[in-house]
């Protein structure tokens, strides 16, 4: 089992560019989520999904889109990148019967927006 | 909205000393989780506490959940260099799925 796989590990964008951060898990977890981590701010929930075809907003959803067409994949799209979106992004998954609380995190994607 | 606060933000200890981090929620929690993140790494799940007053141990780590289920602590006995990292507590978001994380306590160990 690879667990939760995120790509790319590093990305540099210019303001206004768009991109997609990929996340895939092979544990058949129902629940998937995206967090961003900024210095001194902890981890903040961007979007989450409780199953294929179902997504919902977290604490800081503005500027991001998600979709969940399969159980395995949960990509995060930045529509028009802004310097405020410079951050480390973590994808996480969980079994639904854990209450979506026992999260397995990916290794992270470090994004810099110039 | 729900807030989860952690103190201290940073803790410097000499190797072999004990370490404690505290977590407080503005609302009663159904459960609380603790995660550890090594420098440059990703958060890793440590434990989940569910019952009021619960105490769980993992080797040198002791986790407690308060009687009112609004606070929790993590205590490490006789720290080692492998304990370096940031420790986060997290609780369920009120009225929605997902977790609210505290800002973490950075543990720095001086040999």
């Amino acid at each position: 089992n690879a667990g939760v796989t995120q790509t790319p590990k590093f990305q540099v964008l210019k303001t206004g560019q768009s991109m997609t951060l990929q996340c895939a898990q092979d544990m058949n977890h129902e629940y998937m989520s995206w967090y961003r981590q900024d210095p001194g701010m902890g981890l903040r929930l961007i979007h989450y999904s409780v199953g294929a075809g179902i997504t919902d907003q977290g604490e800081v959803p503005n500027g991001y889109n998600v979709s969940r067409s399969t159980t395995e994949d949960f990509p995060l799209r930045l529509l028009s990148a802004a310097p405020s979106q410079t951050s480390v992004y973590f994808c996480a998954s969980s079994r639904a019967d854990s209450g979506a609380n026992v999260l397995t995190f990916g290794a992270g994607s470090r994004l810099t927006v110039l | 909205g729900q807030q989860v606060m952690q103190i201290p933000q940073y803790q410097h200890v000499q190797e072999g000393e004990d370490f404690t981090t505290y977590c407080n929620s503005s609302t009663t929690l159904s459960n609380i989780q603790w995660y550890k993140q090594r420098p440059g790494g990703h958060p890793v799940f440590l434990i989940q506490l569910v019952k009021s007053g619960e105490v769980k141990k993992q080797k040198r780590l002791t986790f407690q959940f308060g009687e009112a289920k609004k606070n929790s602590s993590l205590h490490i006995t006789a720290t080692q260099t492998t304990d370096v990292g940031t420790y986060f507590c997290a609780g369920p978001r009120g009225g929605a799925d997902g977790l609210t994380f505290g800002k973490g306590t950075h543990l720095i160990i001086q040999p």
Side-chain angles (χ1 to χ4, degrees):
Chain A
N1 279 358
V4 179
T5 303
Q6 289 184 236
T7 56
K9 285 185 167 41
F10 301 93
Q11 183 71 50
V12 178
L13 290 178
K14 294 182 179 178
T15 297
Q17 287 185 317
S18 63
M19 79 155 300
T20 299
L21 299 178
Q22 301 290 345
C23 176
Q25 54 92 8
D26 61 0
M27 298 172 285
N28 206 29
H29 284 174
E30 297 88 349
Y31 178 87
M32 296 186 75
S33 54
W34 278 100
Y35 286 84
R36 61 177 289 173
Q37 184 173 35
D38 303 292
M41 296 297 292
L43 293 141
R44 292 182 292 169
L45 181 64
I46 304 171
H47 285 286
Y48 66 94
S49 168
V50 298
I54 305 169
T55 63
D56 209 341
Q57 296 182 348
E59 304 167 61
V60 288
N62 292 342
Y64 307 95
N65 273 1
V66 292
S67 60
R68 184 97 180 268
S69 56
T70 67
T71 300
E72 295 78 19
D73 300 298
F74 191 46
L76 178 72
R77 297 182 184 85
L78 282 70
L79 306 173
S80 178
S84 61
Q85 293 178 304
T86 293
S87 188
V88 180
Y89 291 86
F90 288 101
C91 179
S93 71
S94 176
R95 286 167 44 179
D97 62 3
S98 78
N101 297 327
V102 180
L103 299 176
T104 299
F105 282 86
S109 297
R110 183 176 293 274
L111 175 66
T112 301
V113 183
L114 303 175
Chain B
Q2 181 205 48
Q3 290 186 335
V4 176
M5 292 150 288
Q6 263 186 274
I7 56 169
Q9 187 177 0
Y10 292 91
Q11 183 74 60
H12 292 77
V13 300
Q14 296 281 340
E15 187 175 8
E17 291 183 336
D18 292 357
F19 159 78
T20 304
T21 173
Y22 300 90
C23 183
N24 289 287
S25 170
S26 57
T27 60
T28 301
L29 300 171
S30 57
N31 55 73
I32 193 162
Q33 282 65 236
W34 286 91
Y35 290 79
K36 176 184 178 181
Q37 184 177 24
R38 295 181 187 272
H42 58 278
V44 175
F45 172 79
L46 293 177
I47 207 160
Q48 177 176 253
L49 304 171
V50 178
K51 298 177 184 176
S52 169
E54 189 169 16
V55 178
K56 286 189 175 180
K57 292 190 176 184
Q58 291 179 350
K59 297 183 181 178
R60 295 177 294 103
L61 278 61
T62 301
F63 304 84
Q64 291 190 320
F65 200 9
E67 294 288 343
K69 302 183 78 173
K70 294 182 72 174
N71 58 76
S72 181
S73 65
L74 158 59
H75 179 83
I76 302 178
T77 304
T79 54
Q80 300 174 357
T81 54
T82 53
D83 296 324
V84 163
T86 304
Y87 293 85
F88 294 97
C89 62
R93 295 171 66 214
D97 286 312
L99 294 178
T100 296
F101 280 78
K103 293 183 179 181
T105 296
H106 301 264
L107 173 60
I108 299 121
I109 298 177
Q110 295 150 341

